[in-house]
Amino acid sequence: MLEVEVMRQDGRCAPNILLSKHWQHLMQLETRNQRTKYLLYLWKTEKSKENQKAKKEARRKQLEEMPPEANKEYPDDITYGISERSLFLRIRDQSINNFDNYRNLQAIIHGLPIVIDCSYEDYMVYREAVNAAKQMTFLFGDNRIHRDPFNIHLCNVNTEGSFMKQLEKNIPSLKESWFPLNIHTKSYLDIFPKERLVYLTPHCREELTKFDYDAVYIVGCMVDKVNNEPLSLAKAKRDGIKMAKLPLDRYLEWAPGSKKNLNINHMIPILLDLKSTGDWEFSLRHIPRRKLMETKILAMQKALKNTQLSKDEVFNNFKKYSNLKGISSFKNRRSSSRKSLYDDD
């Protein structure tokens, strides 16, 4: 408490309101640097909420100060506008929410199952667990608006951990009996046959060539900003199940220094599109552009405003510092690898 008060007196970034859960987490942090970073995070969150509230208030005042509509020609004329009548039936957010949940409920009965392995919480720090819960929230939303969603199973869940507490905060109705999400505290080995399980990990050698509709794919729910060990590979070997990785190098030119570990809210949309279309190039559109070489080249071109170099010339200059090939040769390699990929079937 003294540290927080000193930060406030010095004019440094510290939140004005701290709840009991914030104090409890501060007590668990060992170093002053960790506590300072956490207080900075809370301060940014507090200011963000204040800004959103101020914008809403300014918008409300703007609507109140708007000039009235033109006078009616006849007293019984019907007026149309933002605050008046509308020609169209209004579909409220709750109705859309119920429609999406109903589609997800159908997936629980008829959809293909997919497993999210939540057993990595012990390897994540608090902010990584919070980030993983945020990704899981996006994953659930992306899955239920798809025309053919997965039947999602959360396995190895620690109901008292930081991940589930944050997920319940993001989705308040998570524990309701009607909520379309399967949450299990037991392992996926106790739910599905072992021969159907396929663990998707970027650390293995086997590539996923096509979507297997009889397989149950497992995606590890982990944010590894601190811990970069191949934990998913070790877990799949320990459980004795099959492994596979996405064929990223076949279809994409990866930027140097970019990790090939994808967030779970990127993995599931890729699998959804692959299941529906079978087209890898279309499915891999969900990968963030910042990880690709083409984005790096465009950034370099933007930085070199005073030069007249083309994209290929910039790439050739950049090739001195990497072992990558040119863009044209990569496109040829991608098309040939795609042909060989489908010929393997």
Side-chain angles (χ1 to χ4, degrees):
M1 294 175 69
L2 180 61
E3 285 183 7
V4 176
E5 188 60 31
V6 170
M7 288 181 65
R8 290 172 180 165
Q9 296 296 332
D10 292 345
R12 288 182 287 170
C13 301
N16 295 324
I17 300 175
L18 287 171
L19 303 178
S20 57
K21 61 180 182 180
H22 299 150
W23 290 112
Q24 183 178 2
H25 182 68
L26 281 170
M27 293 293 292
Q28 295 174 354
L29 300 177
E30 298 178 355
T31 64
R32 181 178 295 181
N33 189 30
Q34 291 177 339
R35 292 191 290 271
T36 303
K37 289 184 178 180
Y38 181 64
L39 290 171
L40 177 62
Y41 160 73
L42 294 178
W43 178 81
K44 289 182 178 179
T45 305
E46 184 179 79
K47 292 302 177 183
S48 177
K49 292 180 179 178
E50 290 179 0
N51 292 338
Q52 291 178 359
K53 187 176 180 180
K55 288 180 180 179
K56 288 184 179 179
E57 185 66 20
R59 178 61 178 166
R60 185 185 64 81
K61 289 182 179 180
Q62 183 182 2
L63 292 176
E64 290 178 353
E65 296 173 357
M66 286 180 62
E69 298 290 336
N71 295 332
K72 300 179 182 179
E73 185 176 359
Y74 299 101
D76 57 345
D77 283 349
I78 299 176
T79 57
Y80 296 93
I82 296 178
S83 59
E84 302 293 341
R85 292 176 178 84
S86 173
L87 290 172
F88 306 102
L89 177 65
R90 179 178 179 181
I91 302 178
R92 300 184 180 274
D93 293 340
Q94 186 59 39
S95 301
I96 299 176
N97 192 37
N98 293 336
F99 177 79
D100 293 336
N101 283 337
Y102 178 72
R103 184 193 286 119
N104 222 354
L105 286 170
Q106 288 181 318
I108 289 180
I109 302 174
H110 305 291
L112 296 178
I114 192 166
V115 175
I116 307 297
D117 186 9
C118 303
S119 62
Y120 299 100
E121 189 171 351
D122 294 337
Y123 301 97
M124 295 187 290
V125 297
Y126 174 78
R127 68 175 183 273
E128 291 177 336
V130 172
N131 195 356
K134 184 177 180 181
Q135 293 179 15
M136 185 64 213
T137 306
F138 291 150
L139 182 157
F140 175 76
D142 292 338
N143 180 70
R144 70 173 188 166
I145 65 176
H146 198 269
R147 61 181 180 180
D148 187 17
F150 281 120
N151 178 18
I152 299 179
H153 292 262
L154 300 186
C155 296
N156 299 312
V157 174
N158 179 13
T159 56
E160 301 300 326
S162 303
F163 171 79
M164 279 304 296
K165 289 181 179 178
Q166 184 64 31
L167 190 60
E168 291 172 13
K169 184 178 179 181
N170 296 343
I171 310 176
S173 56
L174 182 65
K175 287 190 174 181
E176 298 291 341
S177 58
W178 53 265
F179 193 77
L181 185 64
N182 302 297
I183 301 177
H184 311 282
T185 56
K186 53 186 179 181
S187 172
Y188 41 79
L189 296 173
D190 302 327
I191 303 173
F192 300 101
K194 189 174 182 180
E195 58 273 9
R196 292 182 57 193
L197 297 175
V198 178
Y199 212 114
L200 297 179
T201 170
H203 306 290
C204 69
R205 297 181 179 178
E206 187 70 23
E207 282 190 347
L208 184 67
T209 57
K210 64 178 182 178
F211 189 88
D212 187 0
Y213 294 89
D214 294 328
V216 178
Y217 292 105
I218 306 171
V219 179
C221 181
M222 180 180 179
V223 178
D224 52 355
K225 292 183 179 180
V226 177
N227 192 344
N228 296 320
E229 298 177 359
L231 299 174
S232 56
L233 176 68
K235 193 170 192 304
K237 287 185 176 181
R238 187 164 59 249
D239 293 337
I241 58 180
K242 292 179 285 186
M243 296 172 287
K245 65 178 181 179
L246 301 185
L248 301 179
D249 292 330
R250 287 177 179 257
Y251 297 95
L252 301 173
E253 189 74 356
W254 218 254
S258 298
K259 293 182 180 180
K260 295 183 180 179
N261 301 347
L262 300 178
N263 298 346
I264 56 174
N265 58 309
H266 296 148
M267 284 289 298
I268 301 305
I270 290 173
L271 295 176
L272 283 169
D273 287 345
L274 183 64
K275 177 183 64 167
S276 301
T277 64
D279 187 356
W280 275 109
E281 291 188 0
F282 176 76
S283 303
L284 294 177
R285 63 192 173 96
H286 298 285
I287 291 181
R289 300 294 100 183
R290 67 179 185 274
K291 291 178 175 287
L292 304 182
M293 172 59 74
E294 187 174 358
T295 305
K296 299 289 186 182
I297 295 174
L298 294 176
M300 291 173 63
Q301 281 186 319
K302 188 176 180 180
L304 300 174
K305 292 182 180 179
N306 298 327
T307 61
Q308 301 297 326
L309 296 178
S310 64
K311 184 186 292 187
D312 290 332
E313 290 173 340
V314 175
F315 196 92
N316 291 332
N317 292 336
F318 186 71
K319 190 169 59 175
K320 298 176 183 178
Y321 304 99
S322 62
N323 296 323
L324 301 173
K325 299 180 180 179
I327 291 179
S328 58
S329 62
F330 167 70
K331 290 182 179 178
N332 298 332
R333 182 168 61 88
R334 183 176 63 179
S335 60
S336 62
S337 63
R338 181 184 179 187
K339 183 176 182 301
S340 64
L341 178 65
Y342 287 119
D343 288 345
D344 291 340
D345 299 338

